[in-house]
Amino acid sequence: MPRRKNECSILKGIGAAPGIAIGPAFLLNSSKVRILRRSIDDSDIPGEQERFEKAVSDAEQWLNRLLDEMPEELKGQSGIFQAHLLMLRDRMIYNRTLDIIADEGINAEWALDTSLEYARRLFEQVKDTYIRERISDLEYVVERILQFLSGSPVVDFGELDEPVVIVAHDLSPADTIQMKRDKVLAFVTEVGSRTSHTAILARSLGIAAVVGVEGLTSGIFSGEMVIVDGLAGQVIISPDDDRLARLGEKQDSYLRYRLEAIHFSGLPAETRDGYRLKVKANMELTEEVPSIVANGAEGIGLFRTEFLYLARKNIPTEEQLFATYREVVESMSPYPTTIRTLDIGGDKLVSAVSLDEEVNPALGLRAIRLCLEEKELFKTQLRAILRASVFGSVKILFPMISGRMEIVKVKRFLEEVMEAMTREGIPFDEDVKLGIMIEVPTAVMVADFLAEEVDFFSIGTNDLIQYGLAIDRVNEYVAHLYEPLHPGVLRMIKQAVDAAHQSGIAAAMCGEMAGEPMYVPVLVGMGLDELSMNSLSIPRIKRLIRQVDQEQCSNLVKELLESSTGSRIREILLDFLKSKFPDEFGPAIGLYPDFWDMDA
Ligand code: PEP
Ligand code: MG
């Protein structure tokens, strides 16, 4: 039976970003507008044309307002909006749609989509790639008109009157990046998993989030009060007084715990028997620097630079990138900043870099593969990173390396860039340290060879598990199969760490696994030298490291590596955690969310 409005109901999902938020639901129609064909009577044609014209002028007004309100520093980007304004009235779209409505007697949405299809075919025949790529602008413009036609216009998060909980079928990383903490209390989506980039961004923004909530959008009304419990992966719609009170208590104890952990976050991450790890931060947005420092990070272990390219229409220039990198590097100094080169593609699409639609983007032209093809894009970024390297300590990290030739090619290209800069008299750190992400299973298999090429490894478990277990990290249907404790995954991690150490280089981990409290004994036991994670997790991970013995952890790992199933490994690990940390993992902190189900 469908749910009635204001009836209390609880939905389960995956806790994607910690924290608890309470506020009114704001339903967002972010999935592409679905277009249906509808025949109309001759007498309705003028009305339908008028409806179309109104949607075009609404889109025009919206774009004009964006232009007016554009901050001074972004004014250089206004050209693209001007172009979109012109496209709204382009004959190919505007006149043709009006004609199709009249000639075929069909609805405006269908007519508009037909015009776009026609334009797409025309564009495809053009040889000039620049012109051919403009089809994506046309698609953007048509999407805006369709949104106004459907009555669900684009949301400007800054314009919301009051703080809300965003409820959507899906949110792209580009949608998420625009959320402002004072207006968006939390978000909940039907799709997604803990390691999707949308979830990772929620953690960077400090916004509580639950993803993968089945039946969400059909079971909630806009304006209804919702509690988002990002710790337990739970959404409570129209909570009763009792639940409100209990969640309030949980919120308090979570905040108390965080404050206490932060208080000690400056202490080193050293085990009781003297094994010292470095704990660093993953950074997606430059605004995170103060919180990275406050949470006790010993540097940035992973700067996901692609987010600077997201949600903008133009590719940033070398100057813009340099200015940003320099600021981060200087603020983190004397700690190092590990700048990862562009990892776009997969679930991180950048509108300024037009990529052909791929059937299987996770296995497609992504990360280093794209950079090795788009050399200008790569060169611009490398120059900016190198220029920033004289303002502090910089390391460069290359993503998605799958074999030796790939890193050899990258290093050759880097050398060419360095030589050109030397000729131009531009200073840079000639001894800049180079590392690779270990996130493609073949990289593990040839880790001994790869270790001869670089100064450090950083294990990216998000992708390593995705590719190792063949589980799409953004697909909620297989999210439950995503198992960091799979014996195959543990063996891969161990093999990569051992290969690094045999060659005398450092082994870091920057996948989400590094920031999950329950894996601390495993990672310490594996002998990792460095863990990098979202900054919110740092105080707690450091605190746990300080409570274990490396020797005990490495014995634990030996036992785990001899176990043949993930479930057995999980059992052994849980026993270890319960015996070593009887007080550390109370329900309020959400380590074992399933142990603390409100209705259990
Ligand atoms: C990873 O794959 O584990 C990683 C850290 O990189 P990203 O999540 O950006 O793919
Ligand atoms: Mg990755």
Side-chain angles (χ1 to χ4, degrees):
M1 205 174 63
R3 179 182 165 269
R4 281 195 309 271
K5 197 171 178 182
N6 298 328
E7 186 179 59
C8 176
S9 111
I10 300 178
L11 299 175
K12 283 294 279 177
I14 303 164
I20 295 165
I22 304 174
F26 186 93
L27 258 72
L28 201 69
N29 176 9
S30 64
S31 55
K32 286 221 160 160
V33 183
R34 214 178 298 143
I35 300 160
L36 297 176
R37 189 181 202 283
R38 200 164 34 84
S39 297
I40 51 173
D41 293 337
D42 283 355
S43 57
D44 290 334
I45 288 175
E48 194 64 6
Q49 287 178 320
E50 229 169 79
R51 196 167 75 83
F52 173 68
E53 280 169 20
K54 164 127 187 10
V56 172
S57 68
D58 284 348
E60 231 159 24
Q61 272 178 27
W62 177 74
L63 273 170
N64 272 319
R65 216 186 51 238
L66 270 188
L67 271 170
D68 288 347
E69 292 168 3
M70 191 172 268
E72 212 38 56
E73 64 276 17
L74 292 181
K75 283 273 192 276
Q77 322 265 342
S78 64
I80 189 75
F81 293 103
Q82 309 276 12
H84 287 165
L85 267 174
L86 291 176
M87 281 181 189
L88 281 171
R89 300 273 176 192
D90 190 291
R91 289 171 51 85
M92 223 175 356
I93 291 294
Y94 183 74
N95 297 44
R96 186 176 290 274
T97 303
L98 289 173
D99 290 348
I100 296 176
I101 296 173
D103 297 346
E104 298 185 23
I106 51 165
N107 56 320
E109 288 87 347
W110 191 268
L112 178 57
D113 194 51
T114 311
S115 311
L116 176 66
E117 203 40 52
Y118 186 81
R120 208 180 265 134
R121 266 184 266 134
L122 271 186
F123 273 56
E124 271 163 11
Q125 288 160 18
V126 178
K127 287 242 159 19
D128 184 324
T129 36
Y130 179 79
I131 297 185
R132 216 169 48 222
E133 283 164 6
R134 299 287 64 74
I135 190 67
S136 60
D137 289 318
L138 214 51
E139 282 167 349
Y140 177 84
V141 166
V142 166
E143 183 80 15
R144 296 290 80 77
I145 306 175
L146 283 169
Q147 267 169 321
F148 282 100
L149 274 172
S150 74
S152 57
V154 198
V155 174
D156 176 347
F157 291 114
E159 274 206 344
L160 295 167
D161 293 336
E162 54 172 349
V164 294
V165 170
I166 302 285
V167 175
H169 171 68
D170 190 12
L171 287 169
S172 69
D175 292 327
T176 315
I177 213 167
Q178 293 171 52
M179 292 183 180
K180 296 278 175 290
R181 276 177 71 177
D182 55 337
K183 289 293 168 68
V184 178
L185 297 165
F187 71 77
V188 198
T189 62
E190 234 152 22
V191 305
S193 75
R194 249 190 89 68
T195 55
S196 65
H197 286 97
T198 298
I200 289 173
L201 272 175
R203 296 196 278 279
S204 324
L205 290 162
I207 295 177
V210 177
V211 299
V213 184
E214 218 177 294
L216 171 73
T217 50
S218 55
I220 192 165
F221 298 84
S222 243
E224 272 188 298
M225 199 48 81
V226 212
I227 299 178
V228 179
D229 181 349
L231 297 167
Q234 218 168 220
V235 183
I236 306 173
I237 311 167
S238 288
D240 51 31
D241 292 347
D242 181 39
R243 284 199 175 79
L244 267 177
R246 280 200 276 163
L247 254 294
E249 276 167 32
K250 187 173 176 182
Q251 196 170 28
D252 286 350
S253 59
Y254 173 68
L255 287 178
R256 262 199 315 277
Y257 175 83
R258 276 205 50 74
L259 282 177
E260 198 191 312
I262 287 178
H263 186 69
F264 295 107
S265 65
L267 295 179
E270 184 170 323
T271 62
R272 293 195 310 192
D273 52 351
Y275 177 73
R276 175 86 163 81
L277 280 99
K278 287 202 177 88
V279 176
K280 297 185 181 169
N282 291 355
M283 184 179 95
E284 284 70 52
L285 310 166
T286 51
E287 296 87 316
E288 288 178 82
V289 170
S291 122
I292 286 174
V293 174
N295 280 302
E298 298 166 277
I300 293 175
L302 170 65
F303 178 175
R304 286 185 167 99
T305 55
E306 49 278 4
F307 292 103
L308 298 175
Y309 293 66
L310 229 73
R312 55 188 296 162
K313 281 272 146 191
N314 289 340
I315 294 173
T317 61
E318 180 183 318
E319 254 352 280
Q320 287 167 330
L321 291 176
F322 163 63
T324 310
Y325 299 159
R326 176 182 169 169
E327 205 182 313
V328 175
V329 169
E330 281 182 335
S331 322
M332 289 309 299
S333 185
Y335 289 125
T337 300
T338 310
I339 307 185
R340 184 176 71 181
T341 61
L342 263 182
D343 181 2
I344 54 176
D347 65 333
K348 288 176 282 196
L349 291 180
V350 170
S351 42
V353 181
S354 85
L355 297 174
D356 284 340
E357 207 164 292
E358 295 174 312
V359 177
N360 213 335
L363 302 180
L365 191 60
R366 202 193 134 173
I368 202 70
R369 307 164 183 186
L370 179 80
C371 286
L372 285 172
E373 283 204 10
E374 299 286 335
K375 293 270 176 52
E376 274 307 306
L377 184 74
F378 197 24
K379 185 171 89 185
T380 306
Q381 183 178 34
L382 289 176
R383 283 176 64 96
I385 298 175
L386 288 169
R387 282 173 63 190
S389 68
V390 289
F391 293 93
S393 166
V394 169
K395 297 180 186 203
I396 310 182
L397 178 61
F398 299 104
M400 292 278 289
I401 298 291
S402 61
R404 188 168 200 159
M405 268 327 285
E406 217 161 17
I407 184 64
V408 167
K409 272 190 208 156
V410 168
K411 281 167 61 183
R412 266 191 219 136
F413 187 66
L414 179 69
E415 253 163 55
E416 283 170 30
V417 174
M418 285 176 161
E419 276 162 20
M421 288 174 68
T422 307
R423 280 195 302 276
E424 291 165 47
I426 303 174
F428 60 89
D429 174 8
E430 288 174 24
D431 195 30
V432 63
K433 297 285 177 266
L434 306 181
I436 53 171
M437 297 280 298
I438 299 286
E439 53 184 346
V440 177
T442 49
V444 176
M445 303 312 293
V446 296
D448 49 343
F449 298 135
L450 297 175
E452 291 171 6
E453 299 288 345
V454 290
D455 304 299
F456 66 97
F457 283 169
S458 192
I459 303 174
T461 48
N462 307 340
D463 280 317
L464 190 59
I465 299 171
Q466 157 164 264
Y467 298 124
L469 292 182
I471 286 166
D472 183 347
R473 62 194 268 193
V474 296
N475 183 337
E476 72 276 20
Y477 299 115
V478 287
H480 63 288
L481 300 173
Y482 196 93
E483 173 56 287
L485 293 179
H486 187 292
V489 173
L490 294 191
R491 283 185 186 190
M492 285 198 283
I493 297 172
K494 185 79 173 87
Q495 199 171 323
V497 173
D498 289 350
H501 289 167
Q502 269 149 27
S503 284
I505 66 168
M509 178 180 283
C510 62
E512 296 309 296
M513 191 176 175
E516 300 282 355
M518 69 188 302
Y519 301 134
V520 163
V522 184
L523 305 181
V524 169
M526 288 272 183
L528 277 148
D529 304 291
E530 182 179 314
L531 301 177
S532 190
M533 62 203 69
N534 74 82
S535 62
L536 284 184
S537 299
I538 293 175
R540 183 147 185 228
I541 297 288
K542 275 183 144 183
R543 173 174 158 143
L544 292 172
I545 291 173
R546 286 197 296 273
Q547 293 177 60
V548 294
D549 282 297
Q550 210 262 342
E551 200 187 328
Q552 282 178 358
C553 294
S554 85
N555 288 336
L556 169 75
V557 165
K558 277 195 201 106
E559 194 184 345
L560 299 183
L561 288 169
E562 279 162 13
S563 309
S564 64
T565 64
S567 47
R568 179 67 195 132
I569 292 176
R570 197 161 279 273
E571 244 172 53
I572 302 173
L573 177 60
L574 281 178
D575 283 347
F576 182 91
L577 291 168
K578 282 188 217 158
S579 73
K580 297 286 169 226
F581 310 100
D583 308 321
E584 185 66 31
F585 297 128
I589 310 160
L591 180 69
Y592 311 126
D594 295 341
F595 289 3
W596 200 73
D597 194 325
M598 283 196 58
D599 273 11

